[in-house]
């Protein structure tokens, strides 16, 4: 064998097969009658400039599924595109003086080239970019249809306003009261904004989660909590106090626990509640407090962990069932205006946040629910709120009732008094889609003084973004443009103004998967294509998109169905959320972050290339800010794409984070070389392709056949269940079996056939993971067809059944031996063989067994 044959040349071979696939247009998706279909999709990337290793893991997983389904005989759609609108492009324009479109399209070309070397089975003919007018004109048409269907509307709302970005931020983009990108304190403003009516589908979105049985449980729970359906009662407290803004004004509250009304010790309203705002007009201290609260994050996780603070308004609220009892009314930082009524009654003994608040301000904490009805139960003595079920105590007419019954009785009591009624409330709010930015999809409406809001005629779409914009001033360049926003009203032809807000980029990503079905359709969707391909059979992406993106996409699918563009409610039948790629972090002596390629490790110590000591930090998610990133191009250039893909699938379950290590990638590279060596060394001893099996087969050869068939069976199940790391491990084992038989000699009866069969099956199994290596070995094995067009390996069930199994034997809890036994052996036979085992006899020391316990196919326990 020549030196060139001994070592696998990844770079040359991978380029060769990528050209073969491209020339044959191998991965173009086609509707094929009589074939099952598989729509495999990874969440599309933002074109930030470079592909990172996290992308590599995500797309490698999707490619494993796509290639596997193709091999199983499915018609596969596996497309790619770009989530190309968004603020980073505008920031780049301001920093570089470069148009966002130019910056974005350059990044797309760079990243497309990087993806190409990974050997992904993508149908590039269906590529989309959300910044392309040919894409967003259809998004504008959808908006107009939603508007006509009552699913889009305009309304005044209190929003998070970033004074640096001069734009609205979603609650999720406010971190510690500051803009997630600018770091500026966020202000609360009232603006007239555009919304999608997602709340119209709240019940359907919630109830349909049960049918998404191929979604992770934690994602479904996160969506359930986000929708936040709760049942309770809503009623009005009578208020008293000299500062009441209006005579006899009441305070309306909503609670899921009206049964705890006798445990109230205060009421609280949100800082932007009308009562708080009215009081603040004549109270400078309260006004200051409300302004401070307005800067805080409204994320639930932040509210739960932040210190609870309040401001006593001086007003008092009366308990409707105990008129002599009044409690103080506070403005509190943990009460939100957009949940319930924006006001609560505080029952600190049975709510953790109320408990914390009451302790801070020295308020009473009366216990009104006891786990077992014991009237002496005291939450203060226990040091925490009791939030579980139980029986009511210290609660007048509710005493002795179970909490569920008490909730119903209390609600009825409010109704009887005419103070309120039972009510169902949702945490979900309508989707605010307005953004005061240039680089986004223009909202296709025109504002006319006479006609009001007029949709742009569909024949005039797209409403394109102007190219000649300036980013010299803060705020939205569309507002500053001298001509773009000035237009004639389509209805009356009088001078009018275009809408200068653009759509939230989440809109772009909430329907893109439908456009892949036919990216040249003259309408938003080609019904024939979407009816064939949708829903997406396997969607893959990060857990960070578990709520908003997925929830919005589920809503848009329903809205598109209502407006005739689809006939599917749930767009993603299967969902998988992959883990992050992590790496050690490094700092130089002066505290600066270092890239891994700037660090050398010797004898367990890290140094810079100049020999300066390096501090090794924690293993963390790869990020540009901490420089603990790996360039995929360097890895592919050194080891090949297959090696990178193989390592990404090995060792760690795909739903967990994986640590990128040099030893890990080296191990994957050694496996590539080992397979290549086995194929080359055994080839001269193998029968021709398709040669029949021989009946005369040695023990090692038969053992290899069984191992190969078992591996096919288990790897098939592993891929079906996203156990990629286990599939990789089984392929390692089969390669070892092949190498072992080959090393013992290929002259034994049936050895050549067994090795060819095992090697061919292994080649088919690694194909989804390492497609270039698989193609090259397949060709070396004498096949003229492409591996990519070859059916998934099959197995014979009879060869996957073990003739014998090994049972360990314990004597008084310690392992003393093992026996080989037929899988269907009865207990008497197993017991007899166990007692004849030499190790067992020695351990028993001549004593008779008191008990022999046989756990079928597991273990034998002997008690002496």
């Amino acid at each position: 064998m020549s030196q060139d044959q001994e070592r696998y040349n990844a770079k040359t071979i991978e380029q060769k097969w990528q050209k073969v696939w491209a020339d044959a247009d191998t991965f173009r998706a086609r509707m094929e009658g009589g074939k099952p279909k598989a729509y495999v999709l990874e969440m599309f990337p933002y074109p930030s400039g470079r592909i990172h290793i996290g992308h590599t893991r995500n797309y490698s997983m999707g490619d494993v599924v796509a290639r596997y389904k193709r091999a199983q005989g499915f018609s596969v759609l596996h497309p790619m595109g770009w989530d190309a609108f968004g603020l980073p492009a505008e920031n780049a324009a301001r920093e570089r003086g470069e148009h966002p479109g130019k910056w974005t399209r350059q990044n797309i070309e760079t990243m497309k080239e990087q993806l190409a070397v990974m050997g992904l089975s993508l149908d590039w003919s269906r590529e989309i970019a959300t910044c392309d007018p040919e894409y967003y004109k259809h998004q504008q048409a959808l908006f107009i249809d939603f508007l006509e269907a009552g699913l889009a509307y305009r309304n005044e709302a209190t929003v998070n306003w970033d004074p640096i970005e001069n734009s609205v931020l979603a609650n999720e983009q406010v971190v510690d009261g500051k803009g997630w990108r600018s770091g500026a304190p966020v202000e609360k403003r009232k603006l007239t904004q555009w919304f999608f009516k997602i709340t119209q589908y709240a019940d359907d979105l919630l109830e349909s989660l049960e049918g998404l049985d191929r979604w992770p449980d934690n994602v479904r729970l996160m969506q359930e909590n986000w929708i936040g359906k709760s049942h309770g009662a809503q009623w009005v407290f009578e208020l008293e106090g000299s500062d009441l803004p209006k005579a006899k004004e009441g305070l309306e509250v909503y609670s899921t626990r009206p049964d705890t009304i006798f445990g109230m010790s205060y009421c609280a309203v949100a800082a932007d509640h009308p009562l708080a705002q009215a009081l603040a007009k004549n109270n400078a201290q309260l006004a200051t407090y409300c302004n401070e609260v307005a800067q805080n994050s409204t994320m639930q996780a932040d509210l739960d962990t932040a210190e609870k603070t309040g401001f006593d308004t001086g007003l008092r609220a009366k308990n409707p069932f105990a008129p002599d009892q009044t409690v103080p009314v506070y403005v509190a930082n943990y009460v939100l205006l957009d949940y319930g009524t924006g006001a609560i009654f505080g029952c600190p003994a049975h709510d953790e946040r109320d408990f914390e608040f009451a302790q801070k301000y020295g308020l009473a904490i009366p216990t009104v629910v006891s786990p077992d009805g014991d009237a002496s139960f005291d939450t203060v003595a226990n040091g925490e709120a009791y939030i579980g079920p139980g029986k009511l105590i210290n609660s007048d007419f509710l005493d002795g009732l179970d909490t569920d019954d008490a909730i119903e009785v209390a609600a009825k009591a409010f109704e009887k008094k005419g103070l309120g009624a039972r009510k169902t409330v949702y945490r979900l709010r309508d989707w605010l889609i307005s953004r005061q930015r240039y680089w986004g999809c223009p909202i296709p409406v025109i504002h006319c003084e006479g006609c009001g809001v007029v949709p742009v005629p569909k024949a005039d779409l797209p409403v394109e973004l102007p190219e000649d914009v300036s980013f010299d001033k803060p705020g939205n360049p569309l507002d500053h443009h001298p001509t773009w926003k000035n237009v004639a009203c389509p209805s009356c032809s009088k001078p009018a103004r275009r809408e200068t807000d653009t759509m939230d980029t989440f809109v772009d990503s909430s329907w893109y998967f439908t456009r892949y079905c036919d990216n040249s359709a003259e309408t938003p969707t080609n019904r024939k294509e979407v009816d064939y391909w949708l829903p997406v059979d396997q969607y893959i992406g990060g857990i960070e998109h578990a709520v908003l993106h997925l929830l919005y996409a589920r809503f848009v699918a329903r809205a598109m169905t209502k407006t005739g563009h689809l006939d599917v409610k749930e767009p993603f039948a299967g969902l998988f959320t992959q883990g992050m790629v992590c790496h050690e972090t490094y700092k130089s002596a002066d505290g600066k972050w270092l890239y891994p390629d700037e660090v050398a490790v010797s004898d367990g110590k890290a140094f810079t290339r100049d020999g300066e000591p390096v501090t090794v930090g924690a293993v963390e998610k790869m990020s540009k800010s901490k420089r603990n990133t790996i360039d995929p191009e360097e890895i592919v250039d050194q080891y090949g794409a297959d090696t990178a893909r193989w390592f990404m699938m090995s060792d760690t379950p795909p739903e967990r984070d994986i640590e990128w290590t040099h030893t890990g990638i080296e191990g994957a590279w050694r496996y590539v070389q080992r397979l290549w060596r086995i194929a080359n060394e055994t080839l001269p001893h193998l029968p021709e392709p398709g040669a029949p099996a021989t009946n005369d087969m040695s023990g090692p050869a038969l053992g290899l056949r069984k191992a190969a068939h078992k591996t096919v069976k288990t790897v098939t199940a592993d891929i079906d269940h996203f156990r990629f790391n286990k599939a990789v491990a089984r392929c390692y084992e089969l390669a070892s079996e092949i190498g072992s038989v080959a090393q013992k000699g290929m002259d034994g009866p049936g050895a050549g056939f067994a090795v060819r069969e095992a090697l061919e099956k292994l080649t088919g199994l690694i194909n989804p993971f390492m497609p270039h290596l698989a193609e090259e070995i397949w060709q070396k094995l004498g096949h003229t067809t492409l591996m990519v067009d070859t059916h998934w390996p099959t197995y014979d069930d009879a060869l996957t059944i073990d003739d014998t199994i090994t049972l360990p034997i314990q004597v008084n809890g310690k392992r003393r031996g093992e026996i080989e036994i037929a899988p269907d052996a009865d207990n008497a036979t197993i017991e007899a063989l166990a007692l004849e085992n030499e190790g067992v006899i020695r351990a028993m020391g001549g004593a008779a067994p008191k008990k022999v316990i046989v756990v079928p196919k597991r273990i034998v326990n002997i008690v002496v």
Side-chain angles (χ1 to χ4, degrees), residues 39-57:
Y39 186 172
V40 180
L41 183 63
E42 304 92 81
M43 295 179 184
F44 63 170
Y46 180 78
S48 58
R50 306 289 297 176
I51 290 293
H52 55 71
I53 285 291
H55 287 127
T56 303
R57 191 184 194 201

Side-chain angles (χ1 to χ4, degrees), residues 3-11 13 638-640 643 666-681 770 773 777:
Q3 187 68 26
D4 288 341
Q5 286 178 308
E6 289 179 0
R7 191 162 182 81
Y8 179 72
N9 188 329
K11 190 169 186 177
I13 290 171
Q638 184 174 357
Y639 298 102
T643 302
E666 284 281 359
W669 176 238
R670 285 195 297 272
Y671 181 71
V672 168
Q673 295 297 339
R674 186 182 184 194
L675 277 186
W676 181 245
R677 189 168 57 252
I678 289 173
N680 279 290
E681 290 176 353
M770 297 191 287
L773 177 62
I777 292 177

Side-chain angles (χ1 to χ4, degrees), residues 21-43:
W21 297 331
D23 290 347
D25 204 11
T26 300
F27 305 118
R28 182 181 290 271
R30 297 174 177 86
M31 294 191 297
E32 299 180 68
K35 265 190 173 185
K37 67 88 182 179
Y39 186 172
V40 180
L41 183 63
E42 304 92 81
M43 295 179 184

Side-chain angles (χ1 to χ4, degrees), residues 191-399:
L191 297 175
T192 301
Q193 305 279 278
W194 284 99
F195 293 84
F196 280 160
K197 201 169 183 60
I198 189 172
T199 55
Q200 181 169 317
Y201 293 97
D203 278 324
D204 188 25
L205 290 166
L206 183 61
E207 292 163 6
S208 297
L209 288 171
E210 288 188 20
L212 296 175
D213 53 4
R214 291 180 50 227
W215 280 40
D217 290 341
N218 63 330
V219 174
R220 291 192 293 177
L221 179 61
M222 290 165 75
Q223 291 217 356
E224 180 181 333
N225 291 339
W226 188 267
I227 296 168
K229 183 177 183 179
S230 63
H231 302 284
Q234 190 161 308
W235 68 91
V236 178
F237 282 109
E238 183 181 343
L239 297 180
E240 59 182 31
S242 58
D243 293 331
L244 262 178
K246 296 178 184 177
K248 297 182 179 179
E249 181 168 358
L251 179 65
E252 189 171 36
V253 302
Y254 167 81
S255 175
T256 59
R257 295 296 303 276
D259 58 311
T260 61
I261 185 67
F262 289 98
M264 68 180 291
S265 62
Y266 66 96
C267 286
V269 300
D272 47 353
H273 189 281
L275 178 61
Q277 294 296 302
L279 293 170
K281 289 179 180 179
N282 300 311
N283 187 324
Q285 287 182 309
L286 176 56
T288 300
Y289 177 77
C290 290
N291 288 333
E292 290 173 353
V293 172
Q295 312 306 317
N296 295 340
S297 167
T298 55
M299 286 284 288
Q300 190 62 54
D302 295 333
L303 289 172
D304 290 342
T305 55
E307 181 187 7
K308 311 301 179 288
T309 66
F311 187 98
D312 191 343
T313 65
L315 301 180
R316 307 285 293 186
K318 292 183 179 181
N319 185 332
F321 301 117
D324 293 336
Q325 180 195 10
T326 63
V327 297
V329 178
Y330 284 81
V331 177
N333 68 340
Y334 71 98
V335 182
L336 297 179
L337 183 64
D338 62 356
Y339 181 71
T341 64
I344 66 164
F345 80 90
C347 179
H350 306 292
D351 183 279
E352 292 167 340
R353 295 187 302 178
D354 295 353
F355 186 84
E356 181 183 339
F357 187 89
Q359 283 191 312
K360 180 179 180 67
Y361 293 104
L363 300 171
I365 306 179
T367 301
V368 293
V369 179
S370 168
D372 54 6
D374 182 356
S376 64
F377 179 71
D378 184 7
T379 54
V380 176
N382 290 335
E384 61 181 2
Y386 175 69
I387 60 175
K391 292 184 180 296
L392 273 292
I393 59 175
N394 306 318
S395 296
D396 197 84
F397 62 93
L398 300 175
D399 280 349

Side-chain angles (χ1 to χ4, degrees), residues 616-627:
V616 179
V619 174
E620 298 185 31
K621 171 190 171 184
M622 287 187 182
S623 68
K624 292 179 181 178
S625 62
K626 294 186 178 179
R627 296 193 171 191

